Amino acid sequence: MKKMLSLAAMLAVISYASPASAELKIGGDATTRVRGQFNNSNMSGTKATDKDDIKYQYRVRLKASADLGDGYFFKALIANEEISNGLTPGWSTVGNTNGEKFQLEVSNFYFGRMMESSHYMIGRLPINSFNNPIFDLTLYPVPTAFDNATGIFAVDVPVFQWNYDRVYGMNYGTKVGNGELNATFVVLDNNSTAENHSAIVGDGVFNDGYLLHLTYKTTIGDVTVEPQAIITLTDAQGFTYSRISPNTFGANATIPAGKSKIGLSGFYTVCKDSKGALSSPALVMVGTTVVPGTSTTITPGINANIDYSGYLLRVKGESGPVMAWVDYNRTIDKTPVNDVTYNNIFVWAQYKINVHESALGTVSLTPTVRYRASGRDNYYGNGTTDHQNQLRTELWASVTF
């Protein structure tokens, strides 16, 4: 708490700096929520005994921006990026005797220049992954840990939650025709820490993970369309597999319907790498492992044939205070066994009640329901389907300022 107050005080002092300095504007939001969490799983024909839970959580985010003149700008988000307290990234959960800590850190920051028909920026860039699932499918096509309730799936906006909705990179955008073309060069990881040409570590200096995110946003009649692609330029360190180069393609579309709007998203990812590796024993047992149903062995860090493909579809509706969407994700993973299929269905539904709204800020209540049903087919080579489902009911109370 002392750290948070010190940081807030520092920002306040900077915002009232001398006239020779750019004016730093401070805003942000604060939210509390009560979450009911209910898990249900059936693994290898055995129904697990999952405990229901209620969590009391909160978060504070501060947003800073500065106009430097002539189109130059700076923006930053100060937020919590801890995942140890309550296993909820970015949120603090009430602990024993209120002994938990809530720390504020620089989550994203970027600076650049806005011009009449183009712009550029560099830093930890926000990527709007809450409304755009292309990074979700690229980074989490295969669940990182299917066998426990804290596993990360391609649905339930994992990049927004677990990766804090930002990447480090350089963005350039320009008007092309009736739309805007954006290219973002992303530094995904720092996997190469030394010049080492071994088969396990990689090829030295340029073994860091780089990718290119391309988008083109335009309108066709009243419909806004945004085709996109993520192209992995070098072997990257994934959360399940490493030394891989997946590519993802697809588009978002927004269709107005009176005072409402309908969103459609569809993305496909594919990865085939003969010299990939298992990043961690997330999918199988620790150490040198025997995958159930086969005689295949796979060890984290040792070369393996990585072969998977998958897609994610979203239908989203917004009408006044109501917002809801349904995701369907299906990934076929042939690493290290044949035709293991992961299926995810996810629903997010919320109703926002505006309690107060003015030029100075807002106060709102938002009942929210989140439901995920996940399945894993043929993992044991005998057609068995595992299930791991989760229901969350939440009540958010938020202020913006």
Side-chain angles (χ1 to χ4, degrees), residues 292-323:
T294 75
S295 59
T296 304
T297 61
I298 181 169
T299 304
I302 302 301
N303 287 354
N305 290 315
I306 309 301
D307 183 1
Y308 67 78
S309 62
Y311 59 87
L312 190 153
L313 305 175
R314 173 177 294 179
V315 178
K316 183 178 181 180
E318 296 182 66
S319 181
V322 179
M323 180 184 73

Tab-separated table of all heavy atoms in Angstrom, residues 292-323:
chain	number	residue	atom	x	y	z
A	292	PRO	N	0.492	-40.971	-22.258
A	292	PRO	CA	-0.499	-42.047	-22.111
A	292	PRO	C	-0.981	-42.581	-23.451
A	292	PRO	O	-1.252	-41.821	-24.375
A	292	PRO	CB	-1.633	-41.355	-21.354
A	292	PRO	CG	-0.959	-40.275	-20.591
A	292	PRO	CD	0.149	-39.791	-21.483
A	293	GLY	N	-1.078	-43.884	-23.546
A	293	GLY	CA	-1.602	-44.521	-24.750
A	293	GLY	C	-0.581	-44.766	-25.836
A	293	GLY	O	-0.889	-45.342	-26.874
A	294	THR	N	0.696	-44.330	-25.660
A	294	THR	CA	1.720	-44.512	-26.688
A	294	THR	C	3.032	-44.881	-26.021
A	294	THR	O	3.171	-44.873	-24.808
A	294	THR	CB	1.932	-43.225	-27.498
A	294	THR	OG1	2.662	-42.297	-26.689
A	294	THR	CG2	0.622	-42.598	-27.917
A	295	SER	N	4.014	-45.138	-26.848
A	295	SER	CA	5.358	-45.369	-26.324
A	295	SER	C	6.244	-44.162	-26.611
A	295	SER	O	7.458	-44.235	-26.486
A	295	SER	CB	5.960	-46.618	-26.988
A	295	SER	OG	6.016	-46.431	-28.400
A	296	THR	N	5.636	-43.067	-26.999
A	296	THR	CA	6.386	-41.865	-27.340
A	296	THR	C	6.985	-41.238	-26.088
A	296	THR	O	6.316	-41.103	-25.082
A	296	THR	CB	5.471	-40.842	-28.032
A	296	THR	OG1	4.887	-41.456	-29.171
A	296	THR	CG2	6.261	-39.619	-28.473
A	297	THR	N	8.240	-40.865	-26.162
A	297	THR	CA	8.859	-40.134	-25.061
A	297	THR	C	9.150	-38.717	-25.515
A	297	THR	O	9.486	-38.476	-26.665
A	297	THR	CB	10.171	-40.795	-24.617
A	297	THR	OG1	11.085	-40.800	-25.708
A	297	THR	CG2	9.922	-42.206	-24.114
A	298	ILE	N	9.016	-37.785	-24.611
A	298	ILE	CA	9.315	-36.390	-24.911
A	298	ILE	C	9.854	-35.735	-23.652
A	298	ILE	O	9.334	-35.937	-22.560
A	298	ILE	CB	8.080	-35.641	-25.431
A	298	ILE	CG1	8.438	-34.185	-25.764
A	298	ILE	CG2	6.926	-35.690	-24.443
A	298	ILE	CD1	7.334	-33.472	-26.521
A	299	THR	N	10.948	-35.002	-23.807
A	299	THR	CA	11.603	-34.351	-22.687
A	299	THR	C	11.634	-32.850	-22.943
A	299	THR	O	11.973	-32.428	-24.043
A	299	THR	CB	13.047	-34.869	-22.524
A	299	THR	OG1	13.003	-36.283	-22.394
A	299	THR	CG2	13.705	-34.250	-21.294
A	300	PRO	N	11.281	-32.034	-21.951
A	300	PRO	CA	11.352	-30.586	-22.152
A	300	PRO	C	12.732	-30.146	-22.632
A	300	PRO	O	13.747	-30.533	-22.069
A	300	PRO	CB	11.041	-30.033	-20.753
A	300	PRO	CG	10.188	-31.091	-20.119
A	300	PRO	CD	10.738	-32.395	-20.639
A	301	GLY	N	12.760	-29.344	-23.719
A	301	GLY	CA	14.003	-28.811	-24.258
A	301	GLY	C	14.619	-29.627	-25.367
A	301	GLY	O	15.452	-29.131	-26.116
A	302	ILE	N	14.234	-30.902	-25.528
A	302	ILE	CA	14.803	-31.767	-26.567
A	302	ILE	C	13.953	-31.675	-27.832
A	302	ILE	O	12.732	-31.531	-27.778
A	302	ILE	CB	14.890	-33.226	-26.070
A	302	ILE	CG1	15.749	-33.289	-24.799
A	302	ILE	CG2	15.466	-34.132	-27.145
A	302	ILE	CD1	17.173	-32.785	-24.984
A	303	ASN	N	14.600	-31.761	-28.993
A	303	ASN	CA	13.905	-31.621	-30.271
A	303	ASN	C	12.697	-32.549	-30.378
A	303	ASN	O	12.744	-33.719	-29.982
A	303	ASN	CB	14.857	-31.927	-31.430
A	303	ASN	CG	15.871	-30.812	-31.654
A	303	ASN	OD1	15.790	-29.766	-31.020
A	303	ASN	ND2	16.801	-31.046	-32.554
A	304	ALA	N	11.621	-32.005	-30.922
A	304	ALA	CA	10.402	-32.782	-31.136
A	304	ALA	C	9.676	-32.219	-32.352
A	304	ALA	O	9.864	-31.051	-32.719
A	304	ALA	CB	9.496	-32.723	-29.907
A	305	ASN	N	8.870	-33.050	-32.995
A	305	ASN	CA	8.061	-32.605	-34.126
A	305	ASN	C	6.800	-31.937	-33.604
A	305	ASN	O	5.895	-32.601	-33.112
A	305	ASN	CB	7.694	-33.790	-35.028
A	305	ASN	CG	8.889	-34.321	-35.786
A	305	ASN	OD1	9.678	-33.560	-36.335
A	305	ASN	ND2	9.032	-35.643	-35.805
A	306	ILE	N	6.743	-30.618	-33.698
A	306	ILE	CA	5.584	-29.866	-33.246
A	306	ILE	C	4.640	-29.694	-34.424
A	306	ILE	O	5.025	-29.187	-35.471
A	306	ILE	CB	5.989	-28.488	-32.692
A	306	ILE	CG1	7.102	-28.636	-31.645
A	306	ILE	CG2	4.781	-27.767	-32.112
A	306	ILE	CD1	6.744	-29.501	-30.474
A	307	ASP	N	3.408	-30.123	-34.247
A	307	ASP	CA	2.444	-30.113	-35.353
A	307	ASP	C	1.047	-29.905	-34.786
A	307	ASP	O	0.454	-30.811	-34.206
A	307	ASP	CB	2.528	-31.442	-36.112
A	307	ASP	CG	1.604	-31.480	-37.325
A	307	ASP	OD1	0.911	-30.474	-37.599
A	307	ASP	OD2	1.577	-32.518	-38.021
A	308	TYR	N	0.512	-28.696	-34.942
A	308	TYR	CA	-0.853	-28.430	-34.495
A	308	TYR	C	-1.495	-27.381	-35.390
A	308	TYR	O	-0.821	-26.613	-36.081
A	308	TYR	CB	-0.880	-27.965	-33.032
A	308	TYR	CG	-0.247	-26.622	-32.750
A	308	TYR	CD1	-0.916	-25.425	-33.045
A	308	TYR	CD2	1.020	-26.541	-32.170
A	308	TYR	CE1	-0.328	-24.195	-32.777
A	308	TYR	CE2	1.604	-25.319	-31.905
A	308	TYR	CZ	0.926	-24.141	-32.217
A	308	TYR	OH	1.502	-22.925	-31.958
A	309	SER	N	-2.803	-27.369	-35.360
A	309	SER	CA	-3.572	-26.335	-36.057
A	309	SER	C	-4.882	-26.157	-35.302
A	309	SER	O	-5.369	-27.080	-34.642
A	309	SER	CB	-3.851	-26.723	-37.515
A	309	SER	OG	-4.632	-27.904	-37.579
A	310	GLY	N	-5.450	-24.961	-35.395
A	310	GLY	CA	-6.684	-24.702	-34.669
A	310	GLY	C	-7.356	-23.438	-35.143
A	310	GLY	O	-6.783	-22.642	-35.891
A	311	TYR	N	-8.581	-23.248	-34.685
A	311	TYR	CA	-9.310	-22.038	-35.042
A	311	TYR	C	-10.130	-21.568	-33.850
A	311	TYR	O	-10.411	-22.320	-32.913
A	311	TYR	CB	-10.204	-22.265	-36.272
A	311	TYR	CG	-11.250	-23.340	-36.128
A	311	TYR	CD1	-12.505	-23.063	-35.593
A	311	TYR	CD2	-10.986	-24.653	-36.551
A	311	TYR	CE1	-13.465	-24.057	-35.466
A	311	TYR	CE2	-11.933	-25.644	-36.431
A	311	TYR	CZ	-13.181	-25.342	-35.889
A	311	TYR	OH	-14.135	-26.332	-35.765
A	312	LEU	N	-10.489	-20.289	-33.900
A	312	LEU	CA	-11.318	-19.681	-32.876
A	312	LEU	C	-12.361	-18.811	-33.560
A	312	LEU	O	-12.028	-17.956	-34.388
A	312	LEU	CB	-10.474	-18.842	-31.909
A	312	LEU	CG	-11.171	-18.328	-30.633
A	312	LEU	CD1	-10.138	-18.129	-29.519
A	312	LEU	CD2	-11.910	-17.017	-30.870
A	313	LEU	N	-13.630	-19.034	-33.212
A	313	LEU	CA	-14.751	-18.272	-33.771
A	313	LEU	C	-15.462	-17.532	-32.647
A	313	LEU	O	-15.641	-18.071	-31.555
A	313	LEU	CB	-15.735	-19.201	-34.476
A	313	LEU	CG	-15.162	-20.114	-35.572
A	313	LEU	CD1	-16.242	-21.050	-36.086
A	313	LEU	CD2	-14.561	-19.299	-36.703
A	314	ARG	N	-15.873	-16.299	-32.917
A	314	ARG	CA	-16.582	-15.497	-31.911
A	314	ARG	C	-17.775	-14.803	-32.538
A	314	ARG	O	-17.684	-14.232	-33.617
A	314	ARG	CB	-15.655	-14.454	-31.284
A	314	ARG	CG	-16.371	-13.469	-30.341
A	314	ARG	CD	-15.410	-12.491	-29.687
A	314	ARG	NE	-14.499	-13.189	-28.778
A	314	ARG	CZ	-13.535	-12.582	-28.084
A	314	ARG	NH1	-13.361	-11.265	-28.203
A	314	ARG	NH2	-12.760	-13.275	-27.277
A	315	VAL	N	-18.891	-14.850	-31.804
A	315	VAL	CA	-20.077	-14.069	-32.145
A	315	VAL	C	-20.386	-13.197	-30.938
A	315	VAL	O	-20.549	-13.697	-29.833
A	315	VAL	CB	-21.285	-14.963	-32.478
A	315	VAL	CG1	-22.514	-14.106	-32.778
A	315	VAL	CG2	-20.971	-15.865	-33.672
A	316	LYS	N	-20.470	-11.885	-31.175
A	316	LYS	CA	-20.607	-10.930	-30.078
A	316	LYS	C	-21.758	-9.973	-30.350
A	316	LYS	O	-21.964	-9.534	-31.484
A	316	LYS	CB	-19.307	-10.137	-29.919
A	316	LYS	CG	-19.285	-9.159	-28.767
A	316	LYS	CD	-17.921	-8.475	-28.690
A	316	LYS	CE	-17.828	-7.506	-27.536
A	316	LYS	NZ	-16.488	-6.858	-27.475
A	317	GLY	N	-22.511	-9.660	-29.315
A	317	GLY	CA	-23.611	-8.712	-29.438
A	317	GLY	C	-23.533	-7.644	-28.368
A	317	GLY	O	-23.219	-7.934	-27.207
A	318	GLU	N	-23.809	-6.400	-28.745
A	318	GLU	CA	-23.850	-5.282	-27.806
A	318	GLU	C	-25.101	-4.456	-28.081
A	318	GLU	O	-25.377	-4.096	-29.223
A	318	GLU	CB	-22.613	-4.392	-27.955
A	318	GLU	CG	-21.311	-5.060	-27.606
A	318	GLU	CD	-20.120	-4.123	-27.727
A	318	GLU	OE1	-20.052	-3.154	-26.950
A	318	GLU	OE2	-19.280	-4.345	-28.616
A	319	SER	N	-25.843	-4.196	-27.019
A	319	SER	CA	-27.053	-3.390	-27.138
A	319	SER	C	-27.253	-2.621	-25.844
A	319	SER	O	-27.624	-3.205	-24.824
A	319	SER	CB	-28.275	-4.272	-27.427
A	319	SER	OG	-29.445	-3.479	-27.566
A	320	GLY	N	-26.972	-1.321	-25.879
A	320	GLY	CA	-27.097	-0.521	-24.669
A	320	GLY	C	-26.213	-1.057	-23.567
A	320	GLY	O	-24.998	-1.215	-23.751
A	321	PRO	N	-26.772	-1.396	-22.412
A	321	PRO	CA	-25.958	-1.860	-21.281
A	321	PRO	C	-25.575	-3.340	-21.354
A	321	PRO	O	-24.818	-3.825	-20.515
A	321	PRO	CB	-26.863	-1.612	-20.082
A	321	PRO	CG	-28.248	-1.765	-20.623
A	321	PRO	CD	-28.190	-1.214	-22.020
A	322	VAL	N	-26.096	-4.055	-22.360
A	322	VAL	CA	-25.874	-5.498	-22.445
A	322	VAL	C	-24.738	-5.808	-23.415
A	322	VAL	O	-24.681	-5.268	-24.526
A	322	VAL	CB	-27.148	-6.231	-22.905
A	322	VAL	CG1	-26.893	-7.730	-23.022
A	322	VAL	CG2	-28.291	-5.958	-21.941
A	323	MET	N	-23.833	-6.661	-23.005
A	323	MET	CA	-22.783	-7.165	-23.886
A	323	MET	C	-22.597	-8.655	-23.617
A	323	MET	O	-22.529	-9.087	-22.465
A	323	MET	CB	-21.456	-6.443	-23.661
A	323	MET	CG	-20.344	-6.953	-24.579
A	323	MET	SD	-18.733	-6.179	-24.259
A	323	MET	CE	-18.274	-6.964	-22.706
